[in-house]
Amino acid sequence: MSFIQDYLIYNEGNECPKLYHYGTALFLLNAAAGNRIHINYGYTRIYPNLYIGLIGKQGNRKGTAKDIGRDLFQTAFPDYPIGASVQSCNDIIKRLSSDD
């Protein structure tokens, strides 16, 4: 079985739509791979960056899928920095320019 199939089976017991869990699983694979996977295209490298948004009506359990995915990612990669869901430009610049 693949990671996505296992992840969907793991999340069968909650009310969140399967499509949200599918998007979260794709995000987790992309985040775990980072820049270690690429396609050589001439003299450049193409990285499979995914930008995933969980879009839906209020109360549709988008946060449930996000929280489960974030908890799994933090467990697997405890030292990886995770930004806030809402962050100012100044705060992002300050964080990126620090020595950490």
Side-chain angles (χ1 to χ4, degrees):
M1 291 185 79
S2 71
F3 170 77
I4 294 175
Q5 290 172 328
D6 289 342
Y7 188 80
L8 293 176
I9 290 170
Y10 174 73
N11 286 294
E12 279 181 347
N14 58 41
E15 299 173 352
C16 184
K18 190 175 183 178
L19 189 58
Y20 292 155
H21 287 306
Y22 185 78
T24 303
L26 285 175
F27 163 77
L28 289 171
L29 284 174
N30 185 62
N35 284 339
R36 291 184 292 269
I37 296 174
H38 65 272
I39 298 169
N40 289 324
Y41 185 74
Y43 294 107
T44 62
R45 291 182 175 173
I46 299 173
Y47 297 97
N49 294 323
L50 298 177
Y51 299 94
I52 297 174
L54 302 177
I55 310 297
K57 294 181 180 179
Q58 184 177 357
N60 207 11
R61 303 290 182 206
K62 298 176 296 293
T64 301
K66 173 193 63 82
D67 292 342
I68 292 170
R70 184 188 60 225
D71 292 345
L72 180 62
F73 187 80
Q74 285 180 327
T75 301
F77 302 99
D79 297 330
Y80 197 90
I82 296 176
S85 60
V86 177
Q87 200 167 9
S88 70
C89 293
N90 292 338
D91 189 40
I92 294 170
I93 292 169
K94 181 180 174 184
R95 187 169 186 160
L96 290 174
S97 64
S98 69
D99 292 334
D100 294 340

